[in-house]
Amino acid sequence: MHHFLNEKKRISKSRWGHIISERVSELPDSEFENIMKIAKEDQSVISLGPGEPDFDAPAPIVNATIKALKEGKTHYASIPGLPALREMIARKLKKENHISLDDPMNEICVTAGSTEGLLMGLLSVVDAGEEVLTPNPAFLAYEPMIDMVTGEPVPYKLSDKDGFQIHPEEIREKITNKTRAIILNTPANPTGSVLSKKVLEEIADIAVENELIVFSDEAYEKFCFGKSKHVSMASLNGMHDYVLTFHSFSKSYAMPGFRLGYVAGHHELVKKMSQIHIYTSLAASTANQYGAMAALEMNQKYVEKMKHSYDERRKLTLQLLKNTHTLHVEKEPEGAFYVFPRITNGKKSSEYVHTMLKKAKVLMVPGNEFGKHGEGFARISYATGKDKIKEAFERIKQAGF
Ligand SMILES: Cc1ncc(COP(=O)(O)O)c(C=O)c1O
C-alpha cells in the first residue's frame, strides 16, 4: 500500500540541488528569452532582437509538407533522414559547397535543426574534461552544449578591431593535449563576420597537425554580402576526414519552426551521430523532410530575394547606426543578418539594452549573452522590415542614444 496516497509530499527547494544532475546544474539562464518575452508582450516595442528570418517559409515548402501529411507520411522516417532527401543534400553539398563525400548515404544525417546536430557531434567526439575551442562572442548554445557533454569550453576571442576575424596563431596557442575539436562559425552570429579562405586554410593546417575535428557551423551560408563569399571548410583540400559540416534549413529557407538541419562528415563520425539520434529523437520529422526536399528543389529565386532584402536592410542599418552617439561599428559586417556594434557610453551591455528598451522602446540583445568577450556590445538583428528599422533608429535618436 502506498503510504502517501492522500498526502501531497513536496520536494523542498534545497533538495532540488541534489536531484538535478551536476551536468546541467550550472547551465546559464538566458536573458535572451526574457527580453524577447518583453518585446512580445509590449506591442509598442520594436524588436531588433530576433535570431530568425521575419519571412514565412515559401509556399512550395509549406505545400509539400501539407501534401506529405495528407498522403499519410505520418510515420517514422529512416534514422539518418529520408534517403531521397539525403541524396538531394549530397548534390547540394557538391554543387554549392564544393564538398565531395566518399559515401554520401553514410556521411549525412538529417537532424532536428543544426542545434541537435551540434550536440550529437560533441557527444561523439568529446570525452569528460576534454577541450573544445569555441569562438567568443558566438552563438549562445556552443558553451552550454560543451558543458552538457562534460567537456571544457576554451573560448578564443574575436575582436571588432579586425571585424571579428579569427587569428590562427591564437588558436594554435590554446591547443593542449586535451583539445579535441574547434568550432568555427561563418557567416557568424552575432558578429556578422565572414571568415576568409586564407584564415580557413590556416586553421585547416592546425586541425590536421593536431588531429582536431573542426565543427563548421554554416547556418547562415546563404547570406554573404558585397564581395564576401562563403567557403566551406570541408571543401578545402585534404579536409574531408577532419570536418563535420552543419547546415540548417532554418535561415536559408526561412523554416526555423520546421526544426531541420543536417550534418555531413566522415562515416565513422556520422555513424556514431546516427546512433545517438536513435537514442534521443529517433529521426527528424517526416513530413517536414518533404518540405525540406521542396526547399532544395524550388526555384532558388526565393532565397535570392530574401538575401537581397537582407542586404538592403543591412545597408540601411549601417547607415542609420552612423547617426547614433553610443554605438560604433568598427568594420561593416558582411554576413548573416546581424550587426554587433560596440557600446561607447561606458555602460555594460545589459544596462544599456534595458535602458534603451525603457527609454526608446527598442529591443537589442545584450552582447554578453554571446559570451564574456561580447560584453560592451549589443546585437542588432536586421531580419525585420525596413520601416521598423527606420522607426527604431528614429526612436533611438529621439531618446539621445
Ligand atoms: C550560428 C548558429 N548556428 C546554429 C543555429 C541553430 O539553428 P537551427 O535552427 O538549425 O537549430 C543558430 C540559430 O540561431 C545559429 O545562430
Side-chain angles (χ1 to χ4, degrees), residues 42 56 70 73 110 122 124 140 182 189 215 231-232 269 271 273-274 279 293 321 324 338 348 362 366 380 401:
D42 184 346
D56 293 334
K70 286 192 169 160
K73 306 281 180 5
V110 179
L122 290 168
S124 306
L140 47 79
I182 167 166
N189 172 14
F215 283 54
V231 179
S232 290
L269 284 173
K271 187 172 150 197
M273 293 173 72
S274 298
Y279 305 126
M293 284 197 269
L321 266 165
T324 63
Y338 307 113
K348 292 218 161 195
V362 172
I380 295 174
F401 284 97

PDB file of all heavy atoms in Angstrom, residues 42 56 70 73 110 122 124 140 182 189 215 231-232 269 271 273-274 279 293 321 324 338 348 362 366 380 401:
ATOM      1  N   ASP A  42       4.800  43.594 -25.025  1.00  0.00           N
ATOM      2  CA  ASP A  42       4.579  45.026 -25.183  1.00  0.00           C
ATOM      3  C   ASP A  42       4.592  45.368 -26.678  1.00  0.00           C
ATOM      4  O   ASP A  42       5.646  45.467 -27.301  1.00  0.00           O
ATOM      5  CB  ASP A  42       5.680  45.794 -24.430  1.00  0.00           C
ATOM      6  CG  ASP A  42       5.447  47.293 -24.475  1.00  0.00           C
ATOM      7  OD1 ASP A  42       4.602  47.747 -25.292  1.00  0.00           O
ATOM      8  OD2 ASP A  42       6.122  48.015 -23.731  1.00  0.00           O
ATOM      9  N   ASP A  56       8.022  34.254 -43.754  1.00  0.00           N
ATOM     10  CA  ASP A  56       7.445  32.923 -43.547  1.00  0.00           C
ATOM     11  C   ASP A  56       8.091  31.975 -44.555  1.00  0.00           C
ATOM     12  O   ASP A  56       8.613  32.420 -45.586  1.00  0.00           O
ATOM     13  CB  ASP A  56       5.928  32.955 -43.777  1.00  0.00           C
ATOM     14  CG  ASP A  56       5.217  33.790 -42.715  1.00  0.00           C
ATOM     15  OD1 ASP A  56       5.757  33.915 -41.599  1.00  0.00           O
ATOM     16  OD2 ASP A  56       4.121  34.329 -43.013  1.00  0.00           O
ATOM     17  N   LYS A  70      -1.045  14.816 -45.811  1.00  0.00           N
ATOM     18  CA  LYS A  70      -2.313  14.314 -46.366  1.00  0.00           C
ATOM     19  C   LYS A  70      -2.144  12.950 -47.001  1.00  0.00           C
ATOM     20  O   LYS A  70      -3.086  12.168 -47.065  1.00  0.00           O
ATOM     21  CB  LYS A  70      -2.874  15.314 -47.385  1.00  0.00           C
ATOM     22  CG  LYS A  70      -3.460  16.534 -46.701  1.00  0.00           C
ATOM     23  CD  LYS A  70      -4.272  17.363 -47.672  1.00  0.00           C
ATOM     24  CE  LYS A  70      -5.058  18.424 -46.937  1.00  0.00           C
ATOM     25  NZ  LYS A  70      -5.467  19.500 -47.836  1.00  0.00           N
ATOM     26  N   LYS A  73       2.137  10.538 -44.774  1.00  0.00           N
ATOM     27  CA  LYS A  73       3.564  10.449 -44.409  1.00  0.00           C
ATOM     28  C   LYS A  73       3.685  10.851 -42.940  1.00  0.00           C
ATOM     29  O   LYS A  73       4.301  11.863 -42.593  1.00  0.00           O
ATOM     30  CB  LYS A  73       4.398  11.372 -45.311  1.00  0.00           C
ATOM     31  CG  LYS A  73       4.197  11.141 -46.800  1.00  0.00           C
ATOM     32  CD  LYS A  73       4.979   9.941 -47.258  1.00  0.00           C
ATOM     33  CE  LYS A  73       4.903   9.554 -48.718  1.00  0.00           C
ATOM     34  NZ  LYS A  73       4.235  10.267 -49.717  1.00  0.00           N
ATOM     35  N   VAL A 110      20.269  13.777 -41.164  1.00  0.00           N
ATOM     36  CA  VAL A 110      19.318  14.893 -41.050  1.00  0.00           C
ATOM     37  C   VAL A 110      18.929  15.020 -39.573  1.00  0.00           C
ATOM     38  O   VAL A 110      18.603  14.018 -38.927  1.00  0.00           O
ATOM     39  CB  VAL A 110      18.071  14.651 -41.936  1.00  0.00           C
ATOM     40  CG1 VAL A 110      17.079  15.797 -41.811  1.00  0.00           C
ATOM     41  CG2 VAL A 110      18.486  14.456 -43.393  1.00  0.00           C
ATOM     42  N   LEU A 122      29.248  16.827 -30.631  1.00  0.00           N
ATOM     43  CA  LEU A 122      30.067  16.953 -29.412  1.00  0.00           C
ATOM     44  C   LEU A 122      30.039  15.650 -28.620  1.00  0.00           C
ATOM     45  O   LEU A 122      31.068  15.196 -28.107  1.00  0.00           O
ATOM     46  CB  LEU A 122      29.558  18.121 -28.549  1.00  0.00           C
ATOM     47  CG  LEU A 122      29.811  19.519 -29.140  1.00  0.00           C
ATOM     48  CD1 LEU A 122      29.021  20.579 -28.390  1.00  0.00           C
ATOM     49  CD2 LEU A 122      31.309  19.859 -29.117  1.00  0.00           C
ATOM     50  N   SER A 124      29.818  12.782 -29.760  1.00  0.00           N
ATOM     51  CA  SER A 124      30.588  11.764 -30.478  1.00  0.00           C
ATOM     52  C   SER A 124      32.099  11.951 -30.347  1.00  0.00           C
ATOM     53  O   SER A 124      32.852  11.007 -30.486  1.00  0.00           O
ATOM     54  CB  SER A 124      30.258  11.794 -31.977  1.00  0.00           C
ATOM     55  OG  SER A 124      28.892  11.677 -32.161  1.00  0.00           O
ATOM     56  N   LEU A 140      24.920  31.432 -28.789  1.00  0.00           N
ATOM     57  CA  LEU A 140      24.922  31.201 -27.343  1.00  0.00           C
ATOM     58  C   LEU A 140      24.809  29.740 -26.917  1.00  0.00           C
ATOM     59  O   LEU A 140      24.954  29.426 -25.737  1.00  0.00           O
ATOM     60  CB  LEU A 140      23.862  32.069 -26.645  1.00  0.00           C
ATOM     61  CG  LEU A 140      22.449  32.139 -27.223  1.00  0.00           C
ATOM     62  CD1 LEU A 140      21.671  30.901 -26.834  1.00  0.00           C
ATOM     63  CD2 LEU A 140      21.754  33.391 -26.746  1.00  0.00           C
ATOM     64  N   ILE A 182      37.511  22.048 -32.667  1.00  0.00           N
ATOM     65  CA  ILE A 182      37.423  23.508 -32.751  1.00  0.00           C
ATOM     66  C   ILE A 182      36.126  23.870 -33.485  1.00  0.00           C
ATOM     67  O   ILE A 182      35.810  23.278 -34.519  1.00  0.00           O
ATOM     68  CB  ILE A 182      38.659  24.117 -33.444  1.00  0.00           C
ATOM     69  CG1 ILE A 182      38.398  25.574 -33.802  1.00  0.00           C
ATOM     70  CG2 ILE A 182      39.092  23.349 -34.685  1.00  0.00           C
ATOM     71  CD1 ILE A 182      39.624  26.331 -34.165  1.00  0.00           C
ATOM     72  N   ASN A 189      27.077  34.418 -36.212  1.00  0.00           N
ATOM     73  CA  ASN A 189      26.173  35.005 -35.236  1.00  0.00           C
ATOM     74  C   ASN A 189      27.013  35.207 -33.980  1.00  0.00           C
ATOM     75  O   ASN A 189      27.664  34.257 -33.561  1.00  0.00           O
ATOM     76  CB  ASN A 189      25.032  34.006 -34.963  1.00  0.00           C
ATOM     77  CG  ASN A 189      24.128  34.425 -33.830  1.00  0.00           C
ATOM     78  OD1 ASN A 189      24.152  35.564 -33.391  1.00  0.00           O
ATOM     79  ND2 ASN A 189      23.332  33.488 -33.337  1.00  0.00           N
ATOM     80  N   PHE A 215      34.329  21.667 -36.227  1.00  0.00           N
ATOM     81  CA  PHE A 215      32.870  21.781 -36.317  1.00  0.00           C
ATOM     82  C   PHE A 215      32.601  23.063 -37.107  1.00  0.00           C
ATOM     83  O   PHE A 215      32.794  24.153 -36.580  1.00  0.00           O
ATOM     84  CB  PHE A 215      32.245  21.900 -34.920  1.00  0.00           C
ATOM     85  CG  PHE A 215      32.166  20.606 -34.161  1.00  0.00           C
ATOM     86  CD1 PHE A 215      33.290  19.824 -33.960  1.00  0.00           C
ATOM     87  CD2 PHE A 215      30.959  20.174 -33.628  1.00  0.00           C
ATOM     88  CE1 PHE A 215      33.219  18.616 -33.259  1.00  0.00           C
ATOM     89  CE2 PHE A 215      30.866  18.979 -32.917  1.00  0.00           C
ATOM     90  CZ  PHE A 215      32.009  18.192 -32.736  1.00  0.00           C
ATOM     91  N   VAL A 231      32.875  30.144 -47.848  1.00  0.00           N
ATOM     92  CA  VAL A 231      33.743  28.998 -48.143  1.00  0.00           C
ATOM     93  C   VAL A 231      33.499  27.946 -47.062  1.00  0.00           C
ATOM     94  O   VAL A 231      33.527  28.246 -45.870  1.00  0.00           O
ATOM     95  CB  VAL A 231      35.240  29.405 -48.135  1.00  0.00           C
ATOM     96  CG1 VAL A 231      36.131  28.190 -48.416  1.00  0.00           C
ATOM     97  CG2 VAL A 231      35.503  30.509 -49.154  1.00  0.00           C
ATOM     98  N   SER A 232      33.249  26.707 -47.509  1.00  0.00           N
ATOM     99  CA  SER A 232      33.056  25.609 -46.558  1.00  0.00           C
ATOM    100  C   SER A 232      34.405  24.977 -46.241  1.00  0.00           C
ATOM    101  O   SER A 232      35.146  24.597 -47.156  1.00  0.00           O
ATOM    102  CB  SER A 232      32.152  24.536 -47.168  1.00  0.00           C
ATOM    103  OG  SER A 232      30.839  25.026 -47.281  1.00  0.00           O
ATOM    104  N   LEU A 269      32.218   9.122 -37.954  1.00  0.00           N
ATOM    105  CA  LEU A 269      31.574  10.078 -37.046  1.00  0.00           C
ATOM    106  C   LEU A 269      30.063  10.108 -37.250  1.00  0.00           C
ATOM    107  O   LEU A 269      29.294  10.086 -36.286  1.00  0.00           O
ATOM    108  CB  LEU A 269      32.141  11.489 -37.270  1.00  0.00           C
ATOM    109  CG  LEU A 269      33.526  11.758 -36.697  1.00  0.00           C
ATOM    110  CD1 LEU A 269      34.023  13.120 -37.135  1.00  0.00           C
ATOM    111  CD2 LEU A 269      33.494  11.669 -35.177  1.00  0.00           C
ATOM    112  N   LYS A 271      28.189   7.838 -38.373  1.00  0.00           N
ATOM    113  CA  LYS A 271      27.571   6.608 -37.873  1.00  0.00           C
ATOM    114  C   LYS A 271      27.280   6.733 -36.367  1.00  0.00           C
ATOM    115  O   LYS A 271      26.191   6.391 -35.890  1.00  0.00           O
ATOM    116  CB  LYS A 271      28.540   5.444 -38.118  1.00  0.00           C
ATOM    117  CG  LYS A 271      27.970   4.095 -37.794  1.00  0.00           C
ATOM    118  CD  LYS A 271      28.942   3.028 -38.255  1.00  0.00           C
ATOM    119  CE  LYS A 271      28.818   1.808 -37.360  1.00  0.00           C
ATOM    120  NZ  LYS A 271      29.965   0.930 -37.493  1.00  0.00           N
ATOM    121  N   MET A 273      26.926   9.498 -34.723  1.00  0.00           N
ATOM    122  CA  MET A 273      25.892  10.516 -34.530  1.00  0.00           C
ATOM    123  C   MET A 273      24.509   9.935 -34.830  1.00  0.00           C
ATOM    124  O   MET A 273      23.539  10.240 -34.138  1.00  0.00           O
ATOM    125  CB  MET A 273      26.183  11.741 -35.402  1.00  0.00           C
ATOM    126  CG  MET A 273      27.439  12.457 -34.930  1.00  0.00           C
ATOM    127  SD  MET A 273      27.962  13.779 -36.023  1.00  0.00           S
ATOM    128  CE  MET A 273      26.729  14.979 -35.716  1.00  0.00           C
ATOM    129  N   SER A 274      24.429   9.083 -35.829  1.00  0.00           N
ATOM    130  CA  SER A 274      23.136   8.465 -36.157  1.00  0.00           C
ATOM    131  C   SER A 274      22.694   7.548 -35.019  1.00  0.00           C
ATOM    132  O   SER A 274      21.494   7.438 -34.732  1.00  0.00           O
ATOM    133  CB  SER A 274      23.224   7.681 -37.465  1.00  0.00           C
ATOM    134  OG  SER A 274      23.549   8.557 -38.509  1.00  0.00           O
ATOM    135  N   TYR A 279      18.846   7.065 -30.069  1.00  0.00           N
ATOM    136  CA  TYR A 279      18.544   7.031 -28.635  1.00  0.00           C
ATOM    137  C   TYR A 279      18.050   8.368 -28.094  1.00  0.00           C
ATOM    138  O   TYR A 279      17.801   8.491 -26.903  1.00  0.00           O
ATOM    139  CB  TYR A 279      19.779   6.549 -27.865  1.00  0.00           C
ATOM    140  CG  TYR A 279      20.267   5.209 -28.382  1.00  0.00           C
ATOM    141  CD1 TYR A 279      21.586   5.028 -28.779  1.00  0.00           C
ATOM    142  CD2 TYR A 279      19.382   4.130 -28.504  1.00  0.00           C
ATOM    143  CE1 TYR A 279      22.012   3.816 -29.290  1.00  0.00           C
ATOM    144  CE2 TYR A 279      19.803   2.925 -29.018  1.00  0.00           C
ATOM    145  CZ  TYR A 279      21.122   2.771 -29.409  1.00  0.00           C
ATOM    146  OH  TYR A 279      21.528   1.568 -29.927  1.00  0.00           O
ATOM    147  N   MET A 293      12.782  18.854 -48.911  1.00  0.00           N
ATOM    148  CA  MET A 293      13.091  18.483 -50.305  1.00  0.00           C
ATOM    149  C   MET A 293      12.568  19.564 -51.252  1.00  0.00           C
ATOM    150  O   MET A 293      13.233  19.931 -52.212  1.00  0.00           O
ATOM    151  CB  MET A 293      12.474  17.112 -50.632  1.00  0.00           C
ATOM    152  CG  MET A 293      13.280  15.985 -50.014  1.00  0.00           C
ATOM    153  SD  MET A 293      12.896  14.397 -50.759  1.00  0.00           S
ATOM    154  CE  MET A 293      11.587  13.835 -49.720  1.00  0.00           C
ATOM    155  N   LEU A 321      23.064  53.614 -38.162  1.00  0.00           N
ATOM    156  CA  LEU A 321      23.929  53.487 -36.978  1.00  0.00           C
ATOM    157  C   LEU A 321      24.939  54.634 -36.894  1.00  0.00           C
ATOM    158  O   LEU A 321      25.383  55.013 -35.812  1.00  0.00           O
ATOM    159  CB  LEU A 321      24.666  52.146 -37.019  1.00  0.00           C
ATOM    160  CG  LEU A 321      24.012  50.993 -36.258  1.00  0.00           C
ATOM    161  CD1 LEU A 321      24.610  49.663 -36.671  1.00  0.00           C
ATOM    162  CD2 LEU A 321      24.130  51.181 -34.744  1.00  0.00           C
ATOM    163  N   THR A 324      23.987  57.435 -34.578  1.00  0.00           N
ATOM    164  CA  THR A 324      23.869  57.242 -33.124  1.00  0.00           C
ATOM    165  C   THR A 324      25.167  57.689 -32.448  1.00  0.00           C
ATOM    166  O   THR A 324      26.240  57.665 -33.059  1.00  0.00           O
ATOM    167  CB  THR A 324      23.606  55.765 -32.769  1.00  0.00           C
ATOM    168  OG1 THR A 324      24.720  55.001 -33.197  1.00  0.00           O
ATOM    169  CG2 THR A 324      22.343  55.226 -33.418  1.00  0.00           C
ATOM    170  N   TYR A 338      23.064  40.178 -38.847  1.00  0.00           N
ATOM    171  CA  TYR A 338      23.328  40.880 -37.587  1.00  0.00           C
ATOM    172  C   TYR A 338      24.402  41.948 -37.750  1.00  0.00           C
ATOM    173  O   TYR A 338      25.314  41.817 -38.557  1.00  0.00           O
ATOM    174  CB  TYR A 338      23.833  39.890 -36.535  1.00  0.00           C
ATOM    175  CG  TYR A 338      22.949  38.690 -36.334  1.00  0.00           C
ATOM    176  CD1 TYR A 338      23.386  37.413 -36.704  1.00  0.00           C
ATOM    177  CD2 TYR A 338      21.685  38.811 -35.769  1.00  0.00           C
ATOM    178  CE1 TYR A 338      22.577  36.298 -36.513  1.00  0.00           C
ATOM    179  CE2 TYR A 338      20.872  37.700 -35.585  1.00  0.00           C
ATOM    180  CZ  TYR A 338      21.322  36.444 -35.958  1.00  0.00           C
ATOM    181  OH  TYR A 338      20.517  35.350 -35.786  1.00  0.00           O
ATOM    182  N   LYS A 348      27.490  48.870 -19.385  1.00  0.00           N
ATOM    183  CA  LYS A 348      27.580  47.440 -19.676  1.00  0.00           C
ATOM    184  C   LYS A 348      26.426  47.061 -20.602  1.00  0.00           C
ATOM    185  O   LYS A 348      25.385  47.738 -20.620  1.00  0.00           O
ATOM    186  CB  LYS A 348      27.495  46.644 -18.379  1.00  0.00           C
ATOM    187  CG  LYS A 348      28.714  46.848 -17.515  1.00  0.00           C
ATOM    188  CD  LYS A 348      29.088  45.545 -16.828  1.00  0.00           C
ATOM    189  CE  LYS A 348      30.498  45.639 -16.366  1.00  0.00           C
ATOM    190  NZ  LYS A 348      31.093  44.392 -16.006  1.00  0.00           N
ATOM    191  N   VAL A 362      12.945  50.200 -27.895  1.00  0.00           N
ATOM    192  CA  VAL A 362      13.619  49.429 -28.945  1.00  0.00           C
ATOM    193  C   VAL A 362      14.411  48.329 -28.261  1.00  0.00           C
ATOM    194  O   VAL A 362      15.072  48.572 -27.247  1.00  0.00           O
ATOM    195  CB  VAL A 362      14.571  50.321 -29.787  1.00  0.00           C
ATOM    196  CG1 VAL A 362      15.409  49.476 -30.732  1.00  0.00           C
ATOM    197  CG2 VAL A 362      13.766  51.353 -30.577  1.00  0.00           C
ATOM    198  N   PRO A 366      21.712  42.037 -25.426  1.00  0.00           N
ATOM    199  CA  PRO A 366      22.996  42.392 -24.826  1.00  0.00           C
ATOM    200  C   PRO A 366      24.127  41.473 -25.300  1.00  0.00           C
ATOM    201  O   PRO A 366      23.950  40.260 -25.366  1.00  0.00           O
ATOM    202  CB  PRO A 366      22.772  42.216 -23.317  1.00  0.00           C
ATOM    203  CG  PRO A 366      21.405  41.675 -23.137  1.00  0.00           C
ATOM    204  CD  PRO A 366      20.710  41.603 -24.456  1.00  0.00           C
ATOM    205  N   ILE A 380      22.253  43.697 -32.983  1.00  0.00           N
ATOM    206  CA  ILE A 380      21.092  44.195 -33.723  1.00  0.00           C
ATOM    207  C   ILE A 380      20.807  43.196 -34.847  1.00  0.00           C
ATOM    208  O   ILE A 380      21.699  42.875 -35.634  1.00  0.00           O
ATOM    209  CB  ILE A 380      21.409  45.571 -34.348  1.00  0.00           C
ATOM    210  CG1 ILE A 380      21.628  46.600 -33.236  1.00  0.00           C
ATOM    211  CG2 ILE A 380      20.308  46.011 -35.314  1.00  0.00           C
ATOM    212  CD1 ILE A 380      22.091  47.953 -33.738  1.00  0.00           C
ATOM    213  N   PHE A 401      20.386  58.338 -27.676  1.00  0.00           N
ATOM    214  CA  PHE A 401      21.438  57.310 -27.643  1.00  0.00           C
ATOM    215  C   PHE A 401      22.471  57.525 -28.757  1.00  0.00           C
ATOM    216  O   PHE A 401      22.192  57.529 -29.889  1.00  0.00           O
ATOM    217  CB  PHE A 401      20.829  55.911 -27.807  1.00  0.00           C
ATOM    218  CG  PHE A 401      20.154  55.439 -26.555  1.00  0.00           C
ATOM    219  CD1 PHE A 401      18.791  55.585 -26.396  1.00  0.00           C
ATOM    220  CD2 PHE A 401      20.897  54.854 -25.523  1.00  0.00           C
ATOM    221  CE1 PHE A 401      18.165  55.158 -25.243  1.00  0.00           C
ATOM    222  CE2 PHE A 401      20.267  54.415 -24.376  1.00  0.00           C
ATOM    223  CZ  PHE A 401      18.900  54.569 -24.228  1.00  0.00           C
TER     224      PHE A 401
END
